[in-house]
């Protein structure tokens, strides 16, 4: 709620992105997969401040510094990270530092869960919402936090999400598959293990 995605797309990226990412993680490219039914997050600074206050950090006081790691070699990543850093500070009073690392170094930290926030992107391996949702499937996530977790680098685990994800994955027809994937995706967005900024 504290990040203005429209501003990032219009002012920082000069319109070079599709969005904003106010629904789920699945882009609006599948004809009968109704992403508009998914309730994601839009810019609502008052709500963001209210939620932070309810969490015990009015105006960000006492909130620990958070790090955002981006992969280097792409000036766009740094520009977007700087804008997110600025917006979070202005809206919530929370400090975010960001560091630009070689992709291999960032990836090694990410799969080991050694960091707060990671810039990431996902391109479908095949034309289905499953390709996006599979990244959050929790059953393969190791219980030992010292072990690598991939592709679910967030180590997101929710039994209800997994139930609907598997029902969608194993469905015998596309309609049934999409109904279950939409349920899984709404659970994912309710839990918010990620911030969707835009769709490529």
């Amino acid at each position: 709620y504290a990040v203005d995605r429209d501003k990032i797309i219009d002012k920082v990226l000069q319109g070079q992105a599709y969005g904003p990412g106010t629904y789920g993680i699945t882009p609006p490219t599948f004809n009968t997969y109704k992403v508009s039914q998914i309730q994601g997050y839009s810019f609502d600074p008052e709500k963001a401040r209210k939620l932070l206050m309810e969490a015990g950090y009015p105006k960000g006081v006492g909130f620990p510094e958070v790090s955002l790691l981006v992969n280097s070699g792409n000036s766009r990543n740094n520009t977007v990270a700087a804008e997110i850093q600025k917006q979070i500070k202005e809206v919530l009073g929370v400090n975010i530092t960001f560091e630009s690392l070689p992709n291999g170094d960032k990836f090694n930290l990410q799969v080991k869960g050694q960091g707060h926030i990671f810039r990431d992107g996902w391109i479908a391996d095949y034309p289905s919402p499953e390709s996006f949702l599979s990244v959050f499937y929790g059953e393969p996530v190791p219980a030992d936090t010292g072990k690598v977790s991939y592709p679910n680098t967030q180590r997101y685990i929710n039994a209800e999400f997994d139930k609907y994800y598997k029902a969608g994955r194993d469905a015998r027809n596309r309609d049934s598959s999409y109904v279950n994937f939409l349920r899984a995706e709404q659970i994912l967005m309710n839990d918010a293990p990620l911030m969707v900024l835009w769709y490529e």
Side-chain angles (χ1 to χ4, degrees):
Y1 292 121
V3 175
D4 187 344
R5 295 158 178 81
D6 285 310
K7 184 176 182 183
I8 290 172
I9 292 170
D10 295 341
K11 307 287 186 196
V12 179
L13 300 178
Q14 305 296 310
Q16 298 298 306
Y18 183 83
T22 54
Y23 301 117
I25 188 173
T26 304
T29 55
F30 303 104
N31 289 338
T32 58
Y33 189 70
K34 302 186 184 323
V35 292
S36 61
Q37 293 179 357
I38 298 169
Q39 294 180 1
Y41 301 88
S42 55
F43 185 51
D44 189 340
E46 290 305 316
K47 188 167 188 174
R49 285 189 280 267
K50 180 176 181 281
L51 290 169
L52 192 65
M53 184 178 68
E54 289 172 2
Y57 301 101
K59 298 182 181 177
V61 175
F63 199 90
E65 191 170 271
V66 177
S67 64
L68 166 59
L69 302 180
V70 302
N71 48 301
S72 58
N74 183 334
S75 61
R76 180 171 86 161
N77 293 340
N78 290 342
T79 307
V80 170
E83 180 62 26
I84 290 171
Q85 178 186 46
K86 178 182 169 191
Q87 290 186 24
I88 296 287
K89 181 65 175 175
E90 286 175 355
V91 174
L92 299 177
V94 170
N95 292 315
I96 290 183
T97 61
F98 80 88
E99 187 176 355
S100 183
L101 299 172
N103 198 42
D105 294 347
K106 182 188 82 76
F107 179 77
N108 285 333
L109 292 172
Q110 192 169 352
V111 296
K112 293 174 185 172
Q114 296 175 346
H116 298 129
I117 305 172
F118 296 91
R119 178 265 167 209
D120 219 347
W122 195 258
I123 297 172
D125 296 313
Y126 44 92
S128 169
E130 180 190 352
S131 186
F132 296 93
L133 298 175
S134 65
V135 178
F136 300 93
Y137 180 42
E139 286 186 12
V141 174
D144 181 352
T145 56
K147 292 187 176 178
V148 165
S149 180
Y150 183 81
N152 189 343
T153 58
Q154 301 79 228
R155 297 174 188 264
Y156 173 71
I157 299 174
N158 182 311
E160 282 290 293
F161 172 88
D162 287 351
K163 178 179 86 172
Y164 289 118
Y165 166 75
K166 287 191 295 184
R169 179 195 66 191
D170 300 339
R172 293 184 180 268
N173 61 67
R174 189 173 67 181
D175 289 346
S176 176
S177 176
Y178 281 10
V179 164
N180 284 290
F181 283 151
L182 281 169
R183 288 177 181 152
E185 192 158 3
Q186 186 60 68
I187 291 166
L188 177 74
M189 295 314 296
N190 292 347
D191 286 346
L194 77 157
M195 181 190 309
V196 181
L197 297 174
W198 65 79
Y199 308 106
E200 292 289 356

